[in-house]
């Protein structure tokens, strides 16, 4: 997929399709700004055509209109935006991203079989300033994603954003960097767990580091045991594919602030000896989505040369049952010495994250953020599309939720009620990993467990993305089925906000 930017008039652009936006008004669909040129080429008939076709302007609605020689491109695609028509006001970037994504995804999916030429798609959606242009570009790139590793390669697409903003080129370049990061995350999440074991994931991180100029260190199973990473070792010991800990670092000269990112990297979560039922296992190749998001984010942060020191930890393990697996009631010693009685081997994410949260003390982070597909309780509380944000600092929690909103990730603030932490007391160790009698609040209890390992005085936020990381339903907007890349853009935005001095 290639991305261009052009100031050409929509009716003159050489393309297979021109995408325009329509929105919902009480009387039906109404063309949005950016559509005037196309309407004029059609002799002012666009509104009537939309009405005749019964177009509603609902978000994601796709209507194909032949241009019958009145435009250079043979096809006009009207995409529903369901947003206030706006007049001169700019559109919410997420509305534009979703519209562009729906249009590109719809067009590429509907290609005639056997087509080999790149499909040329011109986007005549509102792009009156660099923010609008960047939103259209990013939505189009994200919507054009497909995972083809085990199938015929997809025919390509050539995307052209029609924009008049003077500084659009740089903004569109940034969109490309973000889209590349999200595609990396989606590819990793979609890869079956037989082809993405901890060592394979670590090797992929090595490639990213080499291409991005990042420092990397990888600990193997014996280094992990010697180093005292009892959580990662315990979770990984049941698998024939041993665990790894990857640490990446972006250290630009003169950076004064530091951000540490940590992502749960369970390449497959069977539950271990506390085995999951079959249905609950089906999507568990996605249990490394946090680690993937952290890897994608640091790749983008390096490409954008953000002047912040960023360290990324990827604790990678496969959680399997076997004769060597950890047992319910085993005690592990987390990095730094805290002991944990493993009452349930399926609450494994918090064990691997505990090691790296504790280890991050050596990096003296100004801000520490972990990302994890941590609990089914997150999905019960917030549904499949909205992640939960917990923190030991009210201001940071609000800043993360706000960064997520601007970046286009759906996240909602959640509390860490101290009284729920009482259940984490163990009769034999410092803590249990799962309270015996937890009635509700599972997402929050997991957050309270993690909080025990946050170095003193460090501002920390925890993102539970169990739902949004993996889309098991139909595609929508720029979100495909399968791996979504959730939280990746939020992490990049946080680094950007630190660089801009707003965090
Ligand atoms: N990886 C799962 C959480 C999960 C569930 C992610 C569904 C995505 C979709 C996690 O390791 C887990 O197994 N959590 C258990 C905890 C339980 C043992 C208390 C859960 O939420 O069911
Ligand atoms: Mn589990
Ligand atoms: Zn898990």
């Amino acid at each position: 997929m290639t991305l261009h930017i052009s100031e050409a008039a929509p009716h003159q652009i050489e393309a297979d399709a021109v995408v325009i936006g329509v929105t919902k008004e009480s009387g039906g669909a109404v063309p949005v700004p950016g559509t005037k040129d196309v309407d004029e080429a059609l002799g002012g008939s666009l509104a009537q055509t939309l009405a005749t076709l019964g177009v509603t302007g609902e978000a994601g609605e796709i209507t194909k209109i032949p241009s019958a020689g009145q435009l250079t491109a043979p096809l006009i695609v009207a995409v529903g935006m369901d947003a206030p028509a706006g007049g001169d006001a700019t559109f919410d970037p997420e509305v534009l991203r979703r519209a562009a994504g729906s249009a590109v995804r719809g067009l590429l999916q509907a290609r005639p079989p056997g087509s080999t030429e790149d499909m040329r798609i011109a986007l005549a959606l509102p792009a009156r300033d660099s923010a609008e242009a960047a939103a259209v570009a990013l939505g189009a790139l994200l919507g054009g994603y497909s995972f083809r590793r085990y199938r015929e390669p997809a025919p390509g697409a050539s995307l052209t954003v029609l924009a008049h903003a003077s500084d659009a080129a740089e903004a569109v370049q940034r969109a490309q960097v973000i889209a590349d990061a999200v595609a990396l995350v989606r590819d990793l999440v979609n890869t079956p767990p037989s082809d993405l074991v901890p060592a394979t994931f670590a090797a992929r991180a090595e490639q990213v580091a080499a291409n991005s100029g990042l420092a990397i260190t990888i600990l193997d199973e014996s280094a992990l045991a010697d180093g005292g990473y009892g959580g990662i070792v315990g979770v990984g010991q049941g698998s024939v594919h041993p665990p790894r800990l990857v640490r990446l670092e972006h250290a630009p000269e003169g950076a004064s602030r530091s951000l540490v990112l940590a992502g749960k990297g369970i390449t497959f979560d069977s539950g271990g000896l506390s085995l999951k039922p079959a249905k609950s296992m089906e999507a568990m190749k996605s249990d490394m989505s946090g680690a993937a998001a952290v890897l994608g984010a640091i790749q983008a942060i390096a490409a954008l040369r953000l002047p912040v020191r960023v360290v990324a930890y990827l604790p990678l393990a496969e959680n399997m049952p076997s004769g060597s697996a950890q047992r319910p009631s085993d005690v592990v010693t987390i990095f730094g010495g805290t002991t944990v009685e493993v009452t349930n081997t399926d609450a494994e994410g918090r064990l691997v994250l505990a090691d790296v949260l504790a280890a991050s003390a050596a990096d003296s982070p100004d801000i520490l953020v972990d990302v994890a597909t941590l609990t089914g309780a997150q999905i019960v509380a917030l549904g499949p599309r909205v992640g939960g944000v917990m923190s030991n600092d009210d201001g940071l929690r609000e800043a993360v939720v706000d960064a997520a909103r601007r970046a286009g990730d759906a996240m909602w603030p959640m509390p860490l009620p101290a009284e729920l932490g009482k259940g984490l007391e163990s009769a034999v160790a410092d803590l249990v990993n799962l309270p015996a009698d937890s009635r509700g609040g599972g997402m929050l209890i997991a957050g309270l467990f993690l909080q025990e390992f946050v170095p003193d005085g460090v501002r920390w936020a925890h993102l539970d993305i169990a739902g949004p990381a993996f889309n098991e339903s139909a595609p929508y907007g720029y979100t495909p089925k399968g791996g979504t890349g959730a939280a990746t853009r939020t992490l990049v935005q946080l680094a950007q906000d630190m660089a801009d001095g707003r965090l």
Side-chain angles (χ1 to χ4, degrees):
M1 213 160 29
T2 58
L3 179 68
H4 312 274
I5 177 161
S6 165
E7 297 203 351
H11 80 277
Q12 284 174 330
I13 188 92
E14 290 265 0
D16 298 309
V18 173
V19 176
I20 60 170
V22 295
T23 191
K24 207 168 162 179
E25 299 272 287
S26 49
V30 178
V32 302
T35 322
K36 203 167 142 239
D37 171 83
V38 170
D39 189 30
E40 279 169 12
L42 296 175
S45 64
L46 186 57
Q48 183 56 51
T49 301
L50 295 173
T52 306
L53 292 170
V55 176
T56 66
E58 202 166 312
E61 178 193 43
I62 302 284
T63 308
K64 292 181 178 175
I65 305 165
S67 74
Q70 291 176 289
L71 276 69
T72 304
L75 184 65
I76 300 161
V77 176
V79 59
M81 302 194 5
D82 194 7
D88 286 339
T90 55
F91 281 88
D92 176 351
E94 182 64 5
V95 167
L96 292 171
R97 285 188 288 259
R98 289 191 183 203
S102 295
V104 171
R105 186 168 50 72
L107 277 165
L108 294 181
Q109 261 167 16
R111 302 190 59 164
S115 46
T116 51
E117 302 272 291
D118 277 11
M119 186 174 212
R120 297 165 306 164
I121 302 173
L123 296 132
L125 290 164
R128 296 159 292 179
D129 65 10
S130 63
E132 282 191 338
V136 171
L138 181 55
L141 289 168
L142 295 178
Y145 172 87
S146 67
F147 181 62
R148 313 294 303 190
R149 177 163 166 179
Y150 302 90
R151 290 183 290 170
E152 289 280 292
S158 159
L159 307 173
T160 303
V161 176
L162 302 177
H164 288 281
S166 55
D167 48 353
E170 194 190 325
V172 166
Q173 185 50 40
R174 186 176 185 281
Q176 180 73 65
V177 167
I178 302 285
D180 288 346
V182 171
L184 167 66
V185 178
R186 290 174 177 178
D187 281 348
L188 286 165
V189 173
N190 289 331
T191 301
S194 57
D195 284 338
L196 192 81
V197 300
T200 346
F201 197 145
R204 190 75 188 79
E206 253 177 330
Q207 291 175 346
V208 170
N211 294 336
S212 307
L214 297 162
I216 183 167
T217 52
I218 300 175
L219 303 186
D220 66 10
E221 67 273 32
S222 62
L224 285 166
D226 292 348
Y229 297 87
I232 300 171
V233 169
V235 172
Q237 74 190 29
S239 172
V240 296
H241 304 292
R244 295 287 184 269
L245 174 58
V246 176
R247 180 183 182 280
L248 300 127
E249 182 166 3
H250 163 72
E253 221 169 291
S256 58
R257 319 270 330 274
S258 74
L259 171 65
V260 173
L261 306 174
K264 173 179 172 180
I266 301 300
T267 58
F268 184 71
D269 182 12
S270 71
L273 286 174
S274 309
L275 194 66
K276 287 182 184 296
K279 265 278 156 219
S280 309
M281 236 183 263
E282 283 173 4
M284 283 303 122
K285 70 173 181 181
S286 67
D287 213 19
M288 33 53 71
S289 297
V294 163
L295 180 62
I298 200 168
Q299 173 185 283
I301 288 164
L304 296 171
R305 301 175 188 278
L306 296 183
V308 179
R309 194 169 85 92
V310 179
V311 173
Y313 284 103
L314 284 55
L316 306 169
E318 187 181 41
N319 189 23
M320 294 293 264
S322 77
S324 64
Q326 67 177 347
R327 310 149 193 82
S329 78
D330 274 355
V331 173
V332 297
T333 303
I334 301 298
F335 187 95
T338 303
T339 57
V340 176
E341 182 189 0
V342 181
T343 49
N344 188 312
T345 65
D346 196 13
E348 83 297 337
R350 60 197 76 181
L351 297 173
V352 303
L353 282 171
D355 274 337
V356 296
L357 291 175
S360 78
D363 305 306
S364 314
D366 292 305
I367 293 178
L368 172 62
V369 179
D370 77 74
V371 189
T373 48
L374 205 60
T375 66
Q378 180 273 304
I379 303 173
V380 175
L382 293 170
R385 291 190 187 180
V386 181
V389 181
M390 289 140 272
S391 179
N392 59 1
D393 180 294
D394 291 342
L396 178 61
R397 187 182 54 245
E398 294 313 317
V400 171
V401 171
D402 188 58
R405 183 186 54 71
R406 285 178 280 125
D409 280 312
M411 304 262 184
W412 204 250
M414 298 301 281
L416 290 172
E419 70 277 10
L420 290 183
K422 296 258 168 26
L424 291 169
E425 280 169 20
S426 165
V428 299
D430 296 326
L431 298 166
V432 293
N433 71 331
L434 191 71
D437 64 339
S438 53
R439 266 163 295 157
M443 164 170 49
L444 319 180
I445 294 169
L448 286 159
F449 178 90
L450 293 180
Q451 187 169 26
E452 294 290 325
F453 301 90
V454 174
D456 284 343
V458 171
R459 296 169 81 201
W460 156 80
H462 161 55
L463 278 50
D464 193 336
I465 57 165
F470 196 74
N471 178 21
E472 296 190 70
S473 311
Y476 59 93
Y478 54 76
T479 305
K481 211 175 160 67
T484 62
T488 311
R489 290 177 287 153
T490 300
L491 299 179
V492 179
Q493 189 64 54
L494 285 172
Q496 180 83 62
D497 287 352
M498 288 177 79
D500 295 346
R502 86 188 258 181
L503 182 65

